[in-house]
Amino acid sequence: MKKVNLSLIACSLMIFLSACSGDDGKDGLDGLAGSNGANGTAGTDGKAGLVSLVNQQKLSMADSQCFFGGIALHSGVDINSNNLLDDSEVNQTNYVCTPTPIDAQGSKLPHSVMRADLQNGSIAGSRFEIRNGGYGSDMVAHPSIKHQFYALTDRGPNATYTGDYGKGKTFPTPDYTPRIGLFELTTSGTVVKLKDILLKRPDGTPISGLPNTSDLGGTGETPYTVDGNPILVDQNQPYHETQNPIKLDNYGLDGEGLVALSDGSFWVSDEYGPHIVHFDNEGKEIERINAFAHDERTVITLPNEYAKRRANRGMEGLAITPDETTLVGIMQSTMYNPDNAVKALDITRIVTINLKTKQIGQYLYRQEKAQNSNSGIVALSNTEFLVIERDGAFYGQTPDAMKRIYKIDLTDATNLEQITPNNELTQDDNLGLLIAGQTLEQTVLTSGWETLTTHGIAPVSKSLVLDLVQEIQYPHDKLEGMWLIDNSRLAVLNDDDFATWSTNGVLEQKYLDAAKSMIDSNTLYFFQNLTLDK
């Protein structure tokens, strides 16, 4: 049998796997390239994908997201493929808001000039303007038009004066009719006046700002002309006690608080009675509330102690609950209850009046400083309110001037009308709640708030919302109007007193600074990014 060399066979079998040991052979020739295969069959087209769309929407003035307007960018997927972004397809919205055009200097309200012929105080050869501004006694939102507001004037230009007929006021425009102005805030930040609503008696004749008689809250102020003469029933005839007496007006108002209702009517509170008067949409009186039971015009009578308001510091603020059932008024300063011995205190009163049930409530507010002024109130809910507390200083002359807005809550405060009498707590028909025979004002004077606490009497709770001196170096002496726009935006307004002032009874221009270079004027200030709700 022939033997086979197994190593040689193994080498031959592995020629394509590895080289055998021994001499290298010659390289073989490359094989021919194979022909291309045939193209495969084309697949069917897939379904078209959904399209994303973006819509751009212009926002108008007073939009809830962008108050001064702007753009809303709505984006989403066109699910129904109609090339339109339907409301149901929007899954994201971004807002580009127009920046607020009102800076820290505010936006001035328009005014006209009533008189420009009077000597400007002690500045020789100078005349000053009595302006038909004065709309800052209060302001309130229009019930339905979000970029409009109402603002109230008081009794008209006046200044303290003492003449031959006693202490009183000079009225340089004695025929002035108190009024409500309707204003609109524009996208540019300017304010325009749309109309005036003159306040009228029930018979439709205009009221004046002249004082009431003493039995209806008048404090004996004598009205004088700028020449120092008493204002008489007939100014062309000499004074006579009965035939031509000093002219007073029991429909006259020194308006300070304003409410605008959804039916177009208004409530106004004042510093005279104080009176709270209901006017229709044309300014004609419908009904009134005061503390004088003998007044036949009165539909609801306030507790008698409210007739003891301090002169020119009556019911400075008025609000109504969101359901429009309950008026809420706040007194400017400590009432003279029982007399002016309690003047320099920090206790003020809030009264609630249910217009349906005629039920009265009373609460206490504790001021930060004695003789401060509570000069405005607006409702956040049926129990929570914003309240202005201020002093009477100008920041430019007094750097520690105080102008603040607090949020108060009646929930845990004591309703003075619901206290059960006992040996020490009694209700007096004339003076209200007494502690050991003293009024609450007398109690705070003699023994402090601690005595009220001991008897379970708690004031409203309060928390600071806005310090205007700190925020914008608020330059005016008076902060009196609040326009609640929504739960994060608030506008405020000062009272410029018709740009009229007096020093030692001499009329002059009202200035913001001691150098007398800046005339005071109604100015609106706008704040946002506030947290006003719970």
Side-chain angles (χ1 to χ4, degrees), residues 39-310:
N39 292 332
T41 304
T44 58
D45 292 338
K47 292 183 178 179
L50 297 176
V51 177
S52 295
L53 297 176
V54 176
N55 273 358
Q56 180 173 302
Q57 175 191 0
K58 183 178 180 181
L59 302 177
S60 59
M61 180 70 182
D63 180 82
S64 60
Q65 295 291 334
C66 300
F67 188 78
F68 290 95
I71 297 172
L73 298 174
H74 305 295
S75 59
V77 177
D78 186 16
I79 296 173
N80 59 11
S81 301
N82 64 350
N83 292 322
L84 298 173
L85 185 62
D86 300 326
D87 290 343
S88 60
E89 296 171 335
V90 174
N91 57 34
Q92 184 174 341
T93 299
N94 294 312
Y95 297 94
V96 181
C97 297
T98 301
T100 302
I102 302 177
D103 60 17
Q105 307 306 310
S107 180
K108 296 185 185 302
L109 271 60
H111 69 268
S112 59
V113 177
M114 293 190 287
R115 292 189 69 167
D117 61 321
L118 298 177
Q119 168 70 26
N120 186 12
S122 61
I123 305 176
S126 174
R127 298 289 183 267
F128 76 98
E129 293 182 345
I130 297 178
R131 296 178 173 178
N132 191 11
Y135 290 97
S137 285
D138 202 1
M139 79 189 299
V140 67
H142 189 291
S144 59
I145 303 177
K146 297 303 182 184
H147 60 298
Q148 292 183 3
F149 63 91
Y150 291 101
L152 176 71
T153 73
D154 61 20
R155 56 184 161 183
N158 67 87
T160 300
Y161 182 80
T162 299
D164 294 339
Y165 295 82
K167 293 181 178 180
K169 297 282 186 180
T170 296
F171 289 82
T173 56
D175 295 329
Y176 182 81
T177 300
R179 62 200 64 192
I180 298 167
L182 174 61
F183 296 86
E184 183 171 277
L185 183 57
T186 69
T187 54
S188 66
T190 58
V191 178
V192 296
K193 186 172 72 171
L194 303 180
K195 67 176 180 178
D196 274 327
I197 303 170
L198 302 185
L199 302 183
K200 308 174 187 69
R201 297 175 177 85
D203 64 5
T205 58
I207 71 170
S208 74
L210 298 178
N212 304 155
T213 57
S214 58
D215 64 329
L216 289 174
T219 52
E221 291 180 331
T222 299
Y224 291 94
T225 68
V226 290
D227 300 321
N229 297 315
I231 296 174
L232 306 174
V233 172
D234 185 349
Q235 207 64 33
N236 296 317
Q237 300 296 324
Y239 168 79
H240 189 280
E241 184 176 359
T242 58
Q243 296 179 14
N244 193 30
I246 291 172
K247 187 177 182 180
L248 301 175
D249 186 359
N250 282 337
Y251 284 95
L253 290 178
D254 188 5
E256 295 294 345
L258 178 64
V259 163
L261 298 181
S262 57
D263 66 1
S265 65
F266 306 92
W267 284 94
V268 173
S269 67
D270 91 326
E271 290 189 327
Y272 278 153
H275 302 276
I276 308 173
V277 186
H278 193 189
F279 295 96
D280 68 15
N281 62 346
E282 296 180 347
K284 188 166 66 175
E285 179 174 337
I286 301 170
E287 57 190 342
R288 71 173 53 206
I289 298 167
N290 58 36
F292 312 106
H294 64 276
D295 187 353
E296 296 180 352
R297 303 169 298 178
T298 303
V299 295
I300 300 175
T301 303
L302 295 176
N304 284 334
E305 54 264 38
Y306 283 87
K308 295 176 175 57
R309 54 89 180 175
R310 177 177 168 180

Side-chain angles (χ1 to χ4, degrees), residues 444-496:
V444 172
L445 176 65
T446 58
S447 58
W449 283 84
E450 293 77 10
T451 302
L452 273 60
T453 302
T454 299
H455 288 85
I457 300 173
V460 298
S461 62
K462 56 189 286 195
S463 59
L464 182 64
V465 169
L466 195 60
D467 185 330
L468 278 79
V469 171
Q470 183 178 27
E471 289 289 328
I472 60 170
Q473 298 183 346
Y474 185 83
H476 312 278
D477 60 329
K478 294 181 178 179
L479 170 64
E480 298 197 358
M482 288 185 289
W483 169 20
L484 179 62
I485 298 171
D486 54 35
N487 62 4
S488 66
R489 299 183 183 97
L490 180 73
V492 301
L493 186 64
N494 69 298
D495 184 1
D496 69 351

